[in-house]
Amino acid sequence: MNESDSRAGELARLFEESLSRYQAALAEATSESALRVVHARYAGKEGEIRKRLADALKAAPGPDKRAVGQAGNTALQKAEELFGSRLVDLHEQKRQADLQRRLDVTIPGRPHRLGGLHLLTQVRLELEGIFAELGFQVATGPQVETDFHNFEALAMPKDHPARDMQDTFYLRSHDPSHDPLVLRTHTSPVQIRTMLQQKPPVRIISPGKVYRKDDDPTHSPMFQQIEGLCVDEGVTMADLKGTLLYFVQRFFGPGIGLRLRPSFFPFTEPSAEVDIECFFCKRSGCRTCKGSGYIEILGCGMVDPEVFRHVGYDSEKYSGFAFGTGLERMTMLRYGISDLRLFFAGDARFTEQFR
Ligand code: PHE
């Protein structure tokens, strides 16, 4: 055996030895990423087999370099095959494990707590539905209102005493020449917005949040109102009363009567408070009606010509009625809820009772 043959034999053994350690390491790797680490360590650019090859190439005399290179390539090829087949094995193992997995359909599910609409939302939707039956469409407006929409156009000029009752939350405007801004104190500004936007006939119902300087068991600084407005040729107070009677009997129960008491609002003339017959005691007198047999539920009246003037309606041609009521108040009455603050406390023991 000549020198070059024995060097070749020695090199082949070195590669064999690397490959067998490589194979053992591959067998121990149980994930694809572990496999790749092993591959890099032996067959990668900086790997042991390539290093041995590079060393041998350097040491070999010129005529032997070709044979050395071939032996190295064979070893590297073998290394790739080992890697590839181990990778396939691993994937197959994983697939089998997936196929073996069984679903236990008898394990009890994790229950979800079902949500629901807040009682006030339910009642609002119901009221919208009742008025829809009479042809009223839902209209909404912003909670931050201009002085004009909230007061001025509703016949409450700057120093009108009726403002006192509602003098509440003003906002500083970025532009001092801008009309002052206020958290609306009632939903009546939606009357103005609607009439400025469209010609008669108008028939809207407008629910939404309003804000006042009030805070006790039956008053909250934030509460909701529902406004009604109907304008057309020949609308009379009889239409107002008929509409309210329909609403009261659909909402509080058939056969419940109502009465109109003269009242005052700057934007209606004549104006009235509406009382319904106490449905708890059937007018014999109880705590809810404070012994009177009647419960006050809303304010209303015929739209004042001064309001029509602000929105450009001809009050010789058109007439209309408006009314406004409190959503919380309606709800408390019907469900016998005594503390308004329960609506906003977010206590599930309360809200869950109304699903
Ligand atoms: N906006 C009045 C209030 O908040 C209620 C109302 C509305 C009265 C429409 C008459 C007409 O007290």
Side-chain angles (χ1 to χ4, degrees):
M1 197 164 54
N2 64 31
E3 207 175 311
S4 119
D5 280 348
S6 80
R7 260 208 307 273
E10 169 69 5
L11 187 59
R13 257 194 314 283
L14 274 179
F15 284 141
E16 279 305 322
E17 193 263 334
S18 280
L19 281 172
S20 79
R21 271 188 294 110
Y22 174 56
Q23 193 165 15
L26 284 179
E28 267 171 42
T30 52
S31 71
E32 181 170 336
S33 60
L35 224 53
R36 291 193 184 282
V37 170
V38 173
H39 176 265
R41 196 165 349 115
Y42 286 89
K45 260 199 189 111
E46 309 279 311
E48 178 181 311
I49 299 173
R50 278 190 202 277
K51 273 224 178 83
R52 287 192 164 172
L53 173 58
D55 291 346
L57 279 173
K58 223 183 277 165
D64 286 358
K65 284 197 197 291
R66 187 187 167 86
V68 168
Q70 263 169 7
N73 280 338
T74 310
L76 283 169
Q77 218 173 342
K78 189 86 200 294
E80 287 310 310
E81 277 163 23
L82 288 171
F83 173 70
S85 80
R86 179 78 184 112
L87 199 59
V88 170
D89 284 354
L90 211 61
H91 279 284
E92 180 58 20
Q93 257 174 34
K94 237 181 104 192
R95 201 176 75 92
Q96 286 303 329
D98 273 348
L99 290 173
Q100 294 298 312
R101 206 164 32 218
R102 292 272 186 279
L103 192 65
D104 183 354
V105 293
T106 67
I107 293 176
R110 290 185 210 139
H112 286 282
R113 284 185 67 177
L114 278 189
L117 294 179
H118 191 280
L119 178 60
L120 290 177
T121 306
Q122 294 177 37
V123 171
R124 172 173 60 76
L125 293 172
E126 182 182 342
L127 290 172
E128 288 173 10
I130 291 172
F131 283 102
E133 292 162 12
L134 298 175
F136 285 77
Q137 292 186 321
V138 174
T140 54
Q143 291 173 35
V144 176
E145 258 303 0
T146 67
D147 189 271
F148 171 78
H149 292 93
N150 194 80
F151 293 124
E152 202 86 27
L154 290 161
M156 278 182 271
K158 290 277 183 298
D159 32 52
H160 194 287
R163 279 197 184 201
D164 286 353
M165 232 168 53
Q166 304 191 355
D167 230 357
T168 63
F169 304 105
Y170 288 89
L171 286 98
R172 197 172 297 131
S173 171
H174 292 301
D175 175 1
S177 68
H178 191 281
D179 197 19
L181 295 175
V182 62
L183 292 186
R184 67 178 177 186
T185 59
H186 50 178
T187 41
S188 302
V190 184
Q191 290 186 32
I192 304 301
R193 289 186 176 272
T194 306
M195 290 190 282
L196 283 173
Q197 232 169 43
Q198 69 174 89
K199 295 262 153 289
V202 169
R203 222 181 282 178
I204 55 141
I205 190 90
S206 181
K209 296 195 171 85
V210 304
Y211 302 84
R212 287 190 200 176
K213 210 173 54 188
D214 271 333
D215 205 3
D216 65 47
T218 55
H219 294 85
S220 143
M222 184 282 301
F223 62 104
Q224 298 186 56
Q225 287 192 332
I226 292 210
E227 189 85 8
L229 173 69
C230 169
V231 182
D232 203 346
E233 288 180 41
V235 173
T236 70
M237 203 131 180
D239 298 313
L240 168 60
K241 193 169 178 186
T243 302
L244 293 178
L245 198 61
Y246 181 82
F247 147 63
V248 163
Q249 300 198 341
R250 283 280 279 99
F251 187 70
F252 288 105
I256 291 177
L258 56 76
R259 71 178 184 193
L260 271 63
R261 263 181 306 114
S263 183
F264 174 80
F265 297 102
F267 39 92
T268 46
E269 181 59 34
S271 305
E273 306 278 352
V274 172
D275 300 336
I276 57 170
E277 292 171 356
C278 182
F279 48 88
F280 283 111
C281 65
K282 306 275 176 265
R283 277 174 67 195
S284 60
C286 67
R287 263 181 48 187
T288 301
C289 62
K290 300 192 189 89
S292 72
Y294 284 91
I295 306 171
E296 183 187 321
I297 60 159
L298 58 79
C300 63
M302 302 305 290
V303 180
D304 195 302
E306 175 66 5
V307 174
F308 283 153
R309 188 180 67 78
H310 276 288
V311 299
Y313 278 13
D314 179 356
S315 56
E316 295 296 317
K317 190 168 173 200
Y318 298 110
S319 56
F321 64 75
F323 58 88
T325 184
L327 180 62
E328 287 84 358
R329 181 160 169 72
M330 293 296 105
T331 308
M332 287 169 80
L333 281 173
R334 197 168 85 173
Y335 290 89
I337 296 163
S338 56
D339 191 337
L340 171 74
R341 291 170 293 200
L342 284 168
F343 288 132
F344 316 121
D347 188 334
R349 288 170 302 180
F350 172 73
T351 50
E352 275 174 355
Q353 292 175 47
F354 308 101
R355 278 219 295 233

